Amino acid sequence: MAAVTVIIPNYNGLKFLGPCMEALKRQTYRDFKVLVVDNGSTDGSVKWLKEQRIPSIFLKENTGFSGAVNAGIKEADTPYVLLLNNDTEAEPGFVGALAACIGRSERIFAVSSKMIQLSHRDRMDSAGDMYCILGWAYQRGVGQSSRGFNRMREVFSACAAGAIYRREVFETIGYFDERHFAYLEDVDVCYRARIFGYHVLYCPQAVLYHVGSATSGSKYNDFKVKLAARNSIYLIYKNMPWIQLLANSVFLALGIGVKYLFFKNRGFEKAYAEGLKEGLSTVRFCEKVAFRRQHTGNYLAIQWQLLTGLVLYVYEFSKRQAGKIGGKF
């Protein structure tokens, strides 16, 4: 197995850094190094990182998740980079399992871990991310029993809270889109990788416990809802060719309408509408993935995944209590 750089973005996450680092010290696979990218923290994180002599990049301001991990990826010199949220605690075999899985084929771009809710260890947080024709990204298995989801399989995207990536591929498909700042940037980069014919897997042997929403503060808030709504427009526009956008337009409009009603029921309809408006008014500044004829087969495979993603969403939704919708927005 090849060497790994574990990149941990941090913004005012001092209370999480200690447990996160202690878990990494217990890893059975040792061919990895740690690099923390601090996003202009003001809570004492910088002082602690320096005192602990943990290799770090100190950014002057908060560049968001995308800006932080891009800085780390570009600094890394290992074949693989493993992105890890600061509010996580990894099982001892975590790094080794991800490194072994991504090493199975050069056509694997990313591998997502088995993420379990830290405070409810009997419940899943994510078994890889999925994306559907309604324009919705969601966490596979969220809220379901953590005893399940023990089979390796293809997923649409790796959840960047705990996932490994083949570093050289970023030079081909581009890095995390810093216009996103945060939310859906991991789905976007894996969507681009799929256009280029790469695969994304879920590895159940890589177990990670995750707090979730540690930086934004809650599952739903105006900042998060607005940003995710805006980024959902970017995601669709950038990655779908015009013919695919046209073919999916009715489904995408339906998805936006249902999502609006969902947030209206929770008092966030204004933030959601503002996010959509900002996305539509600024989408022209996004760099659209150029359509290439040789990628036609990949686009058709993606379209099939969007359709099956909807079927899986309906199936998983039926297994959860009403109102407990998890996902990436």
Side-chain angles (χ1 to χ4, degrees), residues 90-105:
E91 285 283 350
F94 173 74
V95 176
L98 288 178
C101 187
I102 198 170
R104 292 160 63 100
S105 169

Side-chain angles (χ1 to χ4, degrees), residues 45-81:
S45 292
V46 172
K47 180 181 178 183
W48 187 87
L49 289 166
K50 290 180 177 179
E51 289 176 345
Q52 299 297 316
R53 297 182 179 180
I54 296 172
S56 303
I57 297 173
F58 299 106
L59 304 178
K60 293 182 179 180
E61 58 184 7
N62 186 2
T63 62
F65 179 89
S66 298
V69 298
N70 281 347
I73 294 169
K74 292 173 183 178
E75 180 71 16
D77 59 0
T78 54
Y80 306 134
V81 290

Side-chain angles (χ1 to χ4, degrees), residues 134 136 138-144 149 219-220 258-259 262 266 309-327:
L134 297 176
W136 298 352
Y138 60 95
Q139 295 148 271
R140 191 173 73 97
V142 63
Q144 297 184 44
F149 299 93
K219 185 175 182 179
Y220 300 121
V258 172
K259 189 74 74 166
F262 171 83
R266 286 155 180 77
L310 176 59
V311 175
L312 179 62
Y313 181 87
V314 172
Y315 171 74
E316 292 209 353
F317 181 79
S318 68
K319 297 178 68 175
R320 299 194 299 266
Q321 292 181 352
K324 293 185 178 180
I325 299 176

